[in-house]
Amino acid sequence: MKPAPLRLRRACTAAAAAGVLLAPAIAGSAYGASPATLSAPASTTPSPTTTPSPAADTEFVRLTPAVAARLDAAVLRVMREARVPGVTVGLWAPGKGSYVKSFGVADKATGAPMTTPLHVRIGSETKTFTVTALLQLVDQGKVGLDDPIGRYVTGVPNGDRITLRQLAGMRSGLFNYSMDDGFIKTFEADPHQTFAPRQLLDYSFKHPVQFQPGAEFDYSNTNLILLGLVVEKVTGRPLHEVVTRDVVERAGLRNTVFPTSPDLPAPYAQGYTDQTASGRTEDSTRWNPSWAWAAGEMVSDLQDLRSWARTLATGTLLTPATQAERLKTAPMNIPGTGYGLGIFDVQGWIGHNGSIPGYEVLPVYLPEAQATMVILLNTDTQYEGQEPSTLFGEAVTSIVSPDHVYPGHKPLAPAK
């Protein structure tokens, strides 16, 4: 379906669903009425408007108490089915109100409730920050999107032909290092160990290229490791420093960090995963995320992800021309979806999902209604082959934006 979370074994080109459920306690509730075939031609996603369109009344429903009750029921149903410990859902739209609630537990051992201020690991949402840092360098004239990666990083298969644009658009043909059996065994033997970017590339480069540059869409974490190295080479600074100073701080985010250790800022939710050597669910909160680096190492919270979803979709950190390049999408493998430069458009929702052992996030923005949806949860365990964040996204959007259902299924009944 659509671009994938950053996983170990189950790398997919879609964000689908799954989880682990305890008795669903509800906390932090609030609502109000406050103000792929790449042979197809690439499309340009319209830039988000500064005011909601006249059709906004039909694009996104008013978040009344009755709608909030329907959302409660839908979220709790997904929690039960997918056995998710804790989830937070946030919805905001001008003139339509807001819905912000946390359900379940943040810590299965203590029973501490899931609450809205908690930090979580954001997995592949990190890609949006790394690509933004790269595109800022494009704006500064320091790199070109059609530069070959071999100009900046040596030893890359097809490095004289793969461009930065193809890396950011997941069209390089390079093997995804996190699908390498040797990497998976090494990681599972000790998920607390530290990986260096060049180590990760070694796992990828021992495999033949999957296809010629630009020929297909294939979601690969290897692409982002290379782009992170480009940012470091051009700026002369560590990637975490560039992202923090040039992206996070400029975007006004106060609770988003690019860590250099397994530490999370307090308060945080515990994370649970079945991506373990035994296959049993374990607490992965303190696992070292260095293996994800530029592709998935960052940490954030609900309100920062709300702000970032809009910043990312509207391109306020970039020139209009560069943002337009970012939003040019080519089809993925279901109708109504496309991937641009470190960003997707799924049924009109613009953004990116994220998954890393123990956590998933889904921050997206619907330009027609200026609506933002953020979903974050403390498991990545799949349910019937789908990512749990996608199950929640589908359940929520079936109610609030029936003409824009994420990830693309039609609602069973029209929203009331």
Side-chain angles (χ1 to χ4, degrees):
M1 294 189 298
K2 52 192 179 313
L6 184 141
R7 300 184 65 81
L8 295 174
R9 295 183 293 277
R10 297 184 290 260
C12 40
T13 55
V20 160
L21 174 257
L22 299 175
I26 300 178
S29 109
Y31 61 81
S34 61
T37 58
L38 293 181
S39 58
S43 64
T44 302
T45 301
S47 296
T49 55
T50 55
T51 58
S53 69
D57 286 344
T58 60
E59 301 289 346
F60 197 88
V61 305
R62 190 173 299 277
L63 297 171
T64 64
V67 169
R70 293 182 62 204
L71 289 167
D72 290 350
V75 172
L76 291 170
R77 173 182 57 79
V78 173
M79 288 188 73
R80 287 193 302 270
E81 292 176 353
R83 302 184 64 219
V84 172
V87 60
T88 294
V89 177
L91 295 164
W92 303 266
K96 302 299 182 69
S98 60
Y99 172 95
V100 181
K101 288 191 179 183
S102 291
F103 303 78
V105 298
D107 188 329
K108 295 197 292 185
T110 67
M114 195 75 166
T115 58
T116 56
L118 297 178
H119 292 83
V120 297
R121 300 194 189 278
I122 64 173
S124 287
E125 184 70 16
T126 302
K127 292 176 171 68
T128 65
F129 289 88
T130 300
V131 173
T132 297
L134 176 77
L135 294 178
Q136 288 175 327
L137 297 177
V138 171
D139 278 340
Q140 296 164 21
K142 295 180 179 179
V143 302
L145 283 172
D146 297 313
D147 292 348
I149 182 61
R151 183 176 299 177
Y152 304 97
V153 182
T154 61
V156 181
N158 279 343
D160 60 334
R161 300 172 55 206
I162 296 171
T163 66
L164 305 186
R165 185 191 302 274
Q166 290 164 343
L167 291 167
M170 299 297 175
R171 299 172 180 91
S172 71
L174 295 172
F175 184 84
N176 186 352
Y177 70 85
S178 59
M179 291 295 290
D180 176 78
D181 287 341
F183 166 77
I184 293 170
K185 290 177 183 177
T186 300
F187 179 87
E188 288 181 342
D190 179 13
H192 299 92
Q193 67 187 289
T194 299
F195 288 88
R198 284 285 182 174
Q199 285 179 273
L200 303 175
L201 294 180
D202 287 343
Y203 286 111
S204 170
F205 295 170
K206 69 182 182 181
H207 294 267
V209 295
Q210 308 297 290
F211 49 83
Q212 293 305 304
E216 300 177 27
F217 173 90
D218 184 63
Y219 192 87
S220 175
N221 295 318
T222 303
N223 297 334
L224 269 292
I225 302 304
L226 287 167
L227 293 181
L229 290 174
V230 171
V231 171
E232 290 197 330
K233 182 177 181 64
V234 173
T235 64
R237 294 181 286 156
L239 179 64
H240 68 270
E241 180 182 307
V242 176
V243 168
T244 299
R245 294 187 179 179
D246 299 350
V247 182
V248 172
E249 291 180 2
R250 284 190 57 196
L253 307 181
R254 297 183 178 181
N255 297 301
T256 300
V257 298
F258 197 130
T260 56
S261 77
D263 294 338
L264 291 91
Y268 55 85
Q270 302 293 119
Y272 303 95
T273 188
D274 67 348
Q275 292 202 81
T276 59
S278 67
R280 293 189 295 269
T281 297
E282 296 180 9
D283 186 329
S284 57
T285 309
R286 308 290 297 182
W287 286 8
N288 193 329
S290 63
W291 69 273
W293 195 50
E297 191 168 359
M298 293 177 67
V299 176
S300 190
D301 71 355
L302 177 72
Q303 290 298 333
D304 268 14
L305 290 176
R306 171 194 178 185
S307 177
W308 178 244
R310 181 181 177 91
T311 295
L312 179 67
T314 57
T316 55
L317 298 184
L318 304 173
T319 64
T322 298
Q323 178 69 359
E325 291 297 310
R326 169 173 232 164
L327 294 179
K328 288 180 180 177
T329 62
M332 290 184 282
N333 55 349
I334 60 171
T337 68
Y339 200 83
L341 303 181
I343 198 169
F344 63 52
D345 181 335
V346 175
Q347 303 299 331
W349 289 97
I350 299 173
H352 209 290
N353 57 340
S355 181
I356 194 168
Y359 302 93
E360 290 197 343
V361 298
L362 176 60
V364 287
Y365 183 79
L366 184 64
E368 290 86 350
Q370 290 191 18
T372 304
M373 176 174 70
V374 178
I375 297 171
L376 51 85
L377 51 153
N378 61 344
T379 185
D380 70 309
T381 301
Q382 293 189 349
Y383 174 71
E384 297 184 350
Q386 290 191 303
E387 302 297 327
S389 60
T390 296
L391 290 181
F392 286 112
E394 182 178 4
V396 169
T397 56
S398 293
I399 294 170
V400 301
S401 57
D403 291 333
H404 301 276
V405 178
Y406 181 101
H409 303 295
K410 290 295 183 182
L412 296 177
K416 297 179 180 178

